[in-house]
Amino acid sequence: ELLEAKRELREQIEQVDHVIEQGTADGWEYRKWSSGRMEQWLSVENDSGWSVVGSAWNNMWWEERIIAFGLPFTEVPIAYGNVERVASGFSTGCTVKPTSTSVKLMTGGSQQGDTAKNLQIYAIGKYK
């Protein structure tokens, strides 16, 4: 009876979704769950590498940045992002467009070329 109870308990534990791996990859922190779900998040201060998109529109300059995930997803994840300008001017909200391997952030601001930004990104999706 004890062996049967132990087997049943093991089966129940294996059915509960739990973290099976966590760590960092290319600056991203991640967690993999037994269900196949993966979370990744990134926080960067004074990020550079932003590109101005086109010319000023209604006195706003639009900039974008594409950042590769630390680990690829097997499908397009749900992603959220936040961008804050560091130097001068102000930012509008941040538009986030993920693919399975990267995320594109786009933001508008009152200053052209003010590329230093603090940013935070969170993504959740499948890894298997």
Side-chain angles (χ1 to χ4, degrees), residues 50-51 53 60-65 83-85 90-95 105-109 117:
W50 289 76
S51 301
V53 180
M60 294 293 285
W61 292 93
W62 293 94
E63 298 169 318
E64 69 180 12
R65 174 98 156 88
V83 175
E84 172 191 27
R85 287 177 183 264
F90 64 89
S91 294
T92 63
C94 175
T95 300
L105 304 175
M106 185 176 232
T107 187
K117 296 170 181 58

Side-chain angles (χ1 to χ4, degrees), residues 8 17-18 25 40 56 59 77 85 93 95-96 98:
E8 288 177 9
D17 196 13
H18 58 279
Q40 293 189 65
N59 295 319
R85 287 177 183 264
T95 300
V96 180

